[in-house]
């Protein structure tokens, strides 16, 4: 990635700290398969095993696998064996392509709307997945839950984590966990995130979609931005991104925790000029790397598109904003 990571270069004890070692191996990632028919019918999958090699060749070194598992559980919260077999294939193929893998439990809306109903499902998920992947290589990471938000607020999330982390550690004592704060993994909520002080194998994550009016303009699910159009990306926006990442970097140093930026991107069906989206994408990537944060772009396929599966080619302006030169 060019110059050494600022997260790691200031820490002479990195060799003894597993989360920092994990962070030093991760650089450029992409979110994948969250909304792919793959999970219901492999014959209808848009994403194919060969796409892992394409991702690696495109300059990326890890994937964040977006998992919506609750709908694949029975009444006793047991995961469908067919779904698990599909997941096995994803992990195997990604690993064979030379990619690290983050398994991200992504039922964030269901969990946030009803935390009490979610908690036993989330525990059951990590009991089963933890046992299944206990012998997986250390290039496989577990992200306990994407973007918790109210009513799954800070105190309730911290309480849930106090139960979830021991569940995972029972089968995976040496696995790197990925955990973020509430309010949609908002960087301003990092100070309220409570993690076990003795557990030094946690990679803390945040998501970065500011300026939201720009990145989500025209997005039908974002009520405050759905009607917006022609919102520019400005030099003031660039300055804000740098200032935000300065805050995250300061938190990382103060708490001796490495940081992953797990999502960023700009909605591509809004009609926003690609030149503006490229400038935004390049700015975020550049600032993340300058601050030493590995990152994962949202997303490979679908509505923040990086790779056009129908045309079987990269959206090159966006890919080049993420990977300025091929490795």
């Amino acid at each position: 990635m060019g110059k050494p990571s600022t997260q790691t270069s200031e820490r002479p004890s990195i060799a003894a700290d597993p989360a920092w070692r994990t962070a030093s191996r991760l650089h450029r990632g992409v979110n994948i398969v969250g909304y792919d028919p793959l999970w219901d019918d492999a014959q209808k999958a848009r994403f194919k095993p060969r796409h892992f090699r394409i991702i690696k060749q495109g300059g990326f070194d890890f994937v964040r696998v977006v998992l919506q598992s609750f709908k694949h559980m029975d009444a006793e919260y047991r995961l469908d064996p067919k779904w698990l077999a599909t997941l096995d294939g994803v992990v195997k193929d990604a690993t064979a392509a030379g990619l690290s893998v983050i398994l991200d439990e992504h039922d964030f809306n269901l969990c946030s709307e009803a935390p009490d109903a979610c908690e036993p499902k989330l525990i059951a998920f990590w009991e089963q997945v933890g046992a299944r992947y206990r012998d997986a290589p250390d290039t496989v990471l577990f992200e306990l839950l994407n973007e918790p938000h109210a009513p799954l607020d800070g105190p309730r999330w911290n309480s849930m984590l106090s139960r979830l982390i021991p569940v995972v550690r029972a089968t995976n004592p040496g696995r790197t966990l990925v955990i973020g704060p509430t309010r949609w993994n908002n960087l301003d909520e990092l100070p309220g995130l409570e993690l076990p002080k003795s557990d030094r194998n946690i990679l803390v994550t945040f998501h970065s979609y500011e300026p939201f009016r720009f990145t989500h303009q025209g997005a039908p699910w974002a009520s405050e931005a759905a009607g917006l159009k022609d919102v520019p990306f400005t030099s003031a926006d660039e300055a804000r991104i740098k200032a935000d990442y300065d805050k995250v970097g300061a938190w990382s140093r103060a708490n001796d925790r490495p940081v992953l930026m797990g999502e960023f991107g700009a909605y591509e069906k809004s009609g926003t000029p690609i030149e503006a989206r490229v400038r935004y994408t390049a700015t975020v990537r550049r600032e993340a790397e300058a601050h030493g944060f590995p990152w994962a772009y949202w997303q490979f396929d679908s509505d923040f598109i990086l790779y056009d599966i129908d045309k079987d080619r990269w959206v090159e302006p966006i890919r080049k904003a993420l990977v300025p030169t091929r490795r």
Side-chain angles (χ1 to χ4, degrees), residues 82-132:
K82 291 182 179 179
W83 186 88
L84 284 167
T86 299
L87 180 59
D88 288 345
V90 168
V91 173
K92 179 182 177 182
D93 291 338
T95 302
L99 297 165
S100 294
V101 179
I102 298 174
L103 298 182
D104 154 46
E105 213 307 311
H106 209 79
D107 286 297
F108 61 111
N109 282 327
L110 293 174
C111 278
S112 297
E113 291 162 5
D116 292 344
C118 161
E119 186 167 322
K121 294 180 183 179
L122 205 54
I123 288 173
F125 174 84
W126 286 114
E127 285 176 338
Q128 294 168 80
V129 169
R132 195 174 189 90

Side-chain angles (χ1 to χ4, degrees), residues 99-315:
L99 297 165
S100 294
V101 179
I102 298 174
L103 298 182
D104 154 46
E105 213 307 311
H106 209 79
D107 286 297
F108 61 111
N109 282 327
L110 293 174
C111 278
S112 297
E113 291 162 5
D116 292 344
C118 161
E119 186 167 322
K121 294 180 183 179
L122 205 54
I123 288 173
F125 174 84
W126 286 114
E127 285 176 338
Q128 294 168 80
V129 169
R132 195 174 189 90
Y133 293 105
R134 65 192 309 161
D135 295 323
D138 61 7
T139 53
V140 177
L141 288 65
F142 294 167
E143 182 167 352
L144 300 191
L145 180 66
N146 174 74
E147 291 187 347
H149 55 276
L152 182 50
D153 59 11
R156 184 69 180 87
W157 178 226
N158 288 330
S159 175
M160 195 179 291
L161 285 172
S162 72
R163 296 174 178 87
L164 282 173
I165 293 173
V167 165
V168 180
R169 288 295 181 229
T171 54
N172 288 261
R175 180 82 49 204
T176 299
L177 306 184
V178 179
I179 300 173
T182 53
R183 197 149 60 91
W184 314 88
N185 291 158
N186 191 295
L187 64 92
D188 289 328
E189 300 299 319
L190 284 168
L193 182 62
E194 295 179 1
L195 300 172
K197 288 184 170 58
S198 61
D199 194 330
R200 308 311 303 172
N201 203 2
I202 295 173
L203 181 56
V204 176
T205 189
F206 76 104
H207 292 176
S208 180
Y209 287 106
E210 295 297 341
F212 195 82
R213 285 169 52 86
F214 172 79
T215 62
H216 281 68
Q217 58 185 305
W221 67 90
S223 58
E224 64 269 49
L228 297 177
K229 189 176 181 180
D230 299 326
V231 177
F233 182 70
T234 69
S235 57
D237 295 328
E238 291 181 329
R240 177 185 174 172
I241 288 168
K242 181 183 184 305
D244 280 347
Y245 294 6
D246 285 347
K247 288 169 59 176
V248 176
W251 181 91
S252 173
R253 291 188 295 274
N255 291 271
D256 196 14
R257 299 276 190 189
V259 169
L260 162 74
M261 187 173 67
E263 291 184 18
F264 71 103
Y267 182 58
E268 61 93 16
K269 295 180 181 177
S270 61
T272 305
I274 194 167
E275 294 82 6
R277 291 192 289 116
V278 164
R279 180 183 172 195
Y280 156 82
T281 302
T283 297
V284 174
R285 185 269 310 160
R286 183 176 61 249
E287 287 297 336
E289 293 182 356
H291 285 78
F293 309 148
W295 52 257
Y297 182 78
W298 185 270
Q299 56 185 323
F300 186 72
D301 188 23
S302 194
D303 48 17
F304 288 62
I305 187 170
L306 172 60
Y307 191 88
D308 191 327
I309 286 180
D310 294 328
K311 296 179 180 177
D312 199 20
R313 66 189 187 194
W314 292 103
V315 180

Side-chain angles (χ1 to χ4, degrees), residues 24-83:
S24 73
R25 293 196 304 265
L26 301 176
H27 302 285
R28 296 167 174 168
V30 59
N31 286 268
I32 64 167
V33 299
Y35 306 97
D36 197 289
L38 166 74
W39 302 107
D40 296 308
D41 185 349
Q43 298 301 314
K44 297 179 180 178
R46 289 172 56 77
F47 192 98
K48 307 293 185 182
R50 67 184 183 86
H51 288 119
F52 289 116
R53 297 189 298 275
I54 289 170
I55 289 170
K56 180 69 173 180
Q57 292 164 1
F60 301 88
D61 51 65
F62 73 96
V63 289
R64 181 172 180 253
V65 182
V66 175
L67 303 172
Q68 294 160 327
S69 68
F70 289 2
K71 65 182 179 180
H72 300 283
M73 288 180 169
D74 65 15
E76 296 180 354
Y77 308 147
R78 291 174 300 198
L79 289 163
D80 183 346
K82 291 182 179 179
W83 186 88

